[in-house]
Structure formats: structure tokens, C-alpha cells
Amino acid sequence: MPSRGRSDRDAGVSRRRPEVAITSGLFRTKSVEQSIRDTDDPDAKLRKDLTAKDLTVFGVAVVIGAGIFTLTARTAGTVAGPSVSLAFVFAAIACGLTALCYAEFASTVPVAGSAYTFAYATFGEIIAWIIGWDLILEFALAVSVVAKGWSQYLGEVLGSRPPILELGSIHFDWGAVLIIAAVGVLLATGTKLSSRVSAIAVAIKLAVIALVLVVGATYFKASNLTPYIPPSQPSEKAGGVHQSLFSFLTGSGGTSFGWYGLLAAASLVFFAFIGFDVVATTAEEVRDPQRNVPRGIFGSLAIVTVLYVAVSLVLTGMVPYTALSSGNATLATAFAIHGDMWVKNIISVGALAGLSTVVMVMFLGQTRVLFAMARDGLLPRGLAHTGKHGTPVRLTVIVGIACALLAGFVDFGTLEEMVNIGTLVAFVLVSIGVPILRRTRPDLKRGFRVPLVPLVPILAALACLWLMLNLSIETWLRFVIWMAVGVVVYFAYSRKHSVLRKQTAAETPEATPVS
């Protein structure tokens, strides 16, 4: 006879399942209790090794990448001028609103899968599948694109041509494959070991950033920050599918600099913060997730915001922003102007360390989302098997091979924006999901609660929607095509093999059959 505690939990789940059977099978939700109970499956059980410190390291590791060495200079020189530091503050506020929503969800549903798992508990299976399919695209492209960037910096550090092997008309980027293979081995060995390696790499890049701030401060001139918001100038926007959706809808050409340039810069540098949500994908592997997951999210976000603002202030104080107007300007450009070429080499080392951790944490996020989907039967269940180290080795190998092929042979170009739109869609759904779960499950224990609900989640969703409008039309078209493929896969395979669908049909035979 089952224990009383187990009976009570099962009863709580059963009370909700009749509602699932009555509604359309496409929107059946998976209860939080069921999601948590699934984590006890011995064949698909992740080891709980991570602390708040580990999560903070992961957050800093994935957010502080090459962007701090390149994006800051380019945005200052072509879009915002010295006010790029304020743009980072605006972006951090928008990102912080979303972080609040992620913190509540992750502390309430401490299960692998992040936005996919949250959507399953609030919007239903079909929406959960769509967001999971979306995250697959986001993480796969992120791992591959960043690995190619790592390969370029490897060439600079080695002082040779980029590590690319030419096989006739085929170009094989062996540097990108090398970092993906190394990261895959680490992640298969154990999440805790990966965290320790990330901590070392984070320490290296933080040391490089500290050097940049100290040396750059010696060249700082307050006069270079004037005017802080330069006068607006006409900006030539690409036409056709290359223009932003906002420009297409409004017919505006847009401007650089001025207040419009500042707001546009905030939209641009927001993407420098993308990655903190990966912290939520590790919730199932965290000790005391109700306390540690919110701390990890907010701790990493606070650290990277301070670093971005500090670097942007020192950079624009070192040289006039007009000296950074080249589309290829980086932090090294400012030091080259002052004759400090040795700093450029150190920056390359910092960027190499930074990108290594970005690849690692994005790779981790990809495997954990796929793991959650496989455990739910939406992907083959065998993929959710965990090895002796408590990690999904099969998925790690599959993801590593797929990303290595992409990074090794594909030239991405504008496909990089696909990472952004995938992330923002997840942000919107997570933000909307907070007030929904508050209303449908007010009884759940929440380790962290978003203040001013529903105002804060609504503001977070609107901020993300605004950023999405600034993405190009071609990015939107590609995204729609990817989502359409995902819907086909769902109806062809996932819907039939859904574990929740089978459980619902077996436990409510008297109800209307689930479609």
C-alpha cells in the first residue's frame, strides 16, 4: 500500500488530470508535481552538485564573451557614442525584468529544461514543444557560431592564419571542432568538473578585463565623453528583407546617435546579456534550488552589468567615439591608437578564454533542454539515459557531433541573428507564464516571487517584443520556417509518443479520448 505522503501527492496530480483530458490534448499541461517526480527516475537522474557560486560562475561564463571586447566599441562608434554606457544600463533593466520571471519559475519548478519545462506547466504540450524546438535552434547555432569565433581568436593567439583546412572548395574549421570536442568531453565527465573549468576560464578573462580597465584609465579624458549623447545623424538602413521588421512596418529610415541611437543601442547591446537564462536549465542539478537558482541568476547579472558599464566608460574616455567608427573597431583599436599593441595580444587571450566558457555553457543548455524533452517522450526516451557520472552522455555525444559539423563546415553569416530571436521568444513566454501559473497554481511553494505581478511580467514581455521588432525580416522568415518544421515533427512523432498523453489516456478511460 503506498505511503500517505505519496498518495497525497498523487491525489493532487489526479485532481488536475481530468481538466487535462477534457481540454484539447494539444494543450494538456504537465503538473509541477509530475515534473519533479520524474527527476527521481534512476535511469534518467541528474546529479545534484551545483551551488549558488557555481551558477554565478556559469552565468558570468556565458554572458561575458567576446562581446565585451568587440560589441562595446562598434556600438559606441556607429550607433550611440559615449552614451553606450547608458545603453548597457537600459538593456540591463530590460534583462533584469526577464531575470525576475526566470528566477520565480526556476525556484518553483527546479527541473531541467528551463523555458520548455515552464511552458509545459503553464501553456500546455504543443506550446512546450514549440518553445523546446525553438531552444534547440538557439543553442545549436549559439554553440556553433561561438566556436567559430573561438577558432578565429585561436589563429590570432598562435600568430598564424585561422585554423581552417581547405579541401578543394570545402573549408573545414578544425579549430571550432576542437573546442566543441573538448567541451563535450568535459560535460560528459560531470557538471561539477565543467563548473570548475569554467571558474578558471572566468578568472582569466576577468583578469584581462581588469587589466583593460587599469591601463585604459591612464588614457582617460573626460572631454572624450562630451557630448555624451551626440547629435543624431541619418542612418542608411538596408532595404528589402535585410531591414528590421520595425523599419518595414513604420517606413522609417532611422538615425544613428541622438536619443533614437541610444535606444537602438540598448536593443543591440541587450544581446550581450543573452545567456543568463542557461542558469535556469541547470536547476535540476542544484542543491537547494529554491534559494540558489535565484542567487545564481541575479549574482551573474549584477556582475556582468557592472563590467559592461565600466568597460564602455573607460573605452569612450580613452579615445573620441569617432575614432571607433570603423565597423571592425574593438577594444584593441583604442589601445592601438595609443601605441599599446601588447594589450591587443592579451585581449585575444581573454577573448579566447571567454569564448571557451560560452561554448561550454551553451552546450550544457542544449543537452539539458533535449534531456527534458526526451524524458517526456517528445523525443526518443533512450536519449534521456544518464551514465555513471549522472550526465546524459548519449545526448552530449549527439549534440557535440551535430554542432561540430555545423561549426566545421557551415559559414553562418546572418544566421547569427537566429540565436537572438529564439532567445527572445523564450523570454516572452516565460514572462507571460508567471502570472498564469500564479493564478492556476497559487498553492505552489515559490523560493522567489516576482514583485508587482502582473505589471513586471508584462513589462518584461513588452521589452522583449520591442527587441524582436528590431530584428531583420529575413530572420523572422527563417524563424517561421524552422517553427513550421517543428510543428510537422510534433504531429509526426512527438504527439504519439508523449508520456503525459499516454498517462492521461490510461488514468482517465471514462473521459473523452485525448486527441
Side-chain angles (χ1 to χ4, degrees), residues 207-231:
V208 172
I209 292 173
L211 176 66
V212 167
L213 293 175
V214 171
V215 177
T218 62
Y219 299 110
F220 186 89
K221 291 183 180 179
S223 59
N224 287 331
L225 299 180
T226 305
Y228 185 67
I229 302 178

Side-chain angles (χ1 to χ4, degrees), residues 14 21 28 32-34 51 60 86 239 290 296 361 440 459 470 492:
S14 298
R28 50 181 168 265
V32 174
E33 290 85 354
Q34 182 63 51
T51 64
V60 175
L86 184 57
Q290 282 76 18
V361 182
T440 58
L459 290 176
N470 286 278

Side-chain angles (χ1 to χ4, degrees), residues 151-392:
S151 179
Q152 292 176 351
Y153 275 104
L154 177 63
E156 291 188 15
V157 170
L158 296 177
S160 60
R161 58 183 297 179
I164 296 177
L165 180 63
E166 296 183 4
L167 304 171
S169 60
I170 300 176
H171 294 72
F172 176 64
D173 192 334
W174 63 264
V177 174
L178 175 65
I179 185 60
I180 290 174
V183 165
V185 172
L186 278 174
L187 292 176
T189 303
T191 309
K192 188 65 177 181
L193 176 61
S194 303
S195 174
R196 291 170 179 167
V197 173
S198 290
I200 296 173
V202 167
I204 293 174
K205 64 182 173 184
L206 290 182
V208 172
I209 292 173
L211 176 66
V212 167
L213 293 175
V214 171
V215 177
T218 62
Y219 299 110
F220 186 89
K221 291 183 180 179
S223 59
N224 287 331
L225 299 180
T226 305
Y228 185 67
I229 302 178
S232 61
Q233 300 176 10
S235 175
E236 294 184 2
K237 298 289 183 179
V241 296
H242 300 296
Q243 64 181 315
S244 71
L245 182 60
F246 178 78
S247 297
F248 174 75
L249 294 175
T250 62
S252 62
T255 61
S256 294
F257 307 110
W259 280 100
Y260 182 89
L262 172 59
L263 294 176
S267 298
L268 179 62
V269 301
F270 176 88
F271 302 126
F273 291 93
I274 286 178
F276 79 87
D277 56 308
V278 178
V279 173
T281 69
T282 64
E284 190 174 327
E285 300 163 83
V286 179
R287 304 168 190 165
D288 192 4
Q290 282 76 18
R291 182 191 68 172
N292 289 332
V293 172
R295 288 184 178 183
I297 291 176
F298 295 129
S300 58
L301 186 59
I303 291 172
V304 300
T305 299
V306 170
L307 291 177
Y308 277 138
V309 172
V311 169
S312 59
L313 279 173
V314 168
L315 172 67
T316 51
M318 286 179 62
V319 295
Y321 72 91
T322 53
L324 304 172
S325 58
S326 168
N328 297 320
T330 66
L331 273 181
T333 303
F335 287 98
I337 291 174
H338 290 285
D340 286 337
M341 296 302 297
W342 62 275
V343 179
K344 176 182 178 181
N345 297 327
I346 295 179
I347 288 176
S348 295
V349 173
L352 199 62
L355 289 176
S356 298
T357 57
V358 175
V359 173
M360 178 180 293
V361 182
M362 287 295 186
F363 195 136
L364 175 68
Q366 174 72 291
T367 58
R368 295 319 184 253
V369 169
L370 289 170
F371 172 82
M373 297 174 74
R375 190 164 57 187
D376 290 333
L378 302 186
L379 293 174
R381 289 266 292 170
L383 297 178
H385 174 74
T386 51
K388 63 179 181 178
H389 298 292
T391 59

Side-chain angles (χ1 to χ4, degrees), residues 98-112:
T98 308
L100 290 171
C101 300
Y102 265 90
E104 174 164 330
F105 259 123
S107 66
T108 307
V109 193
V111 178

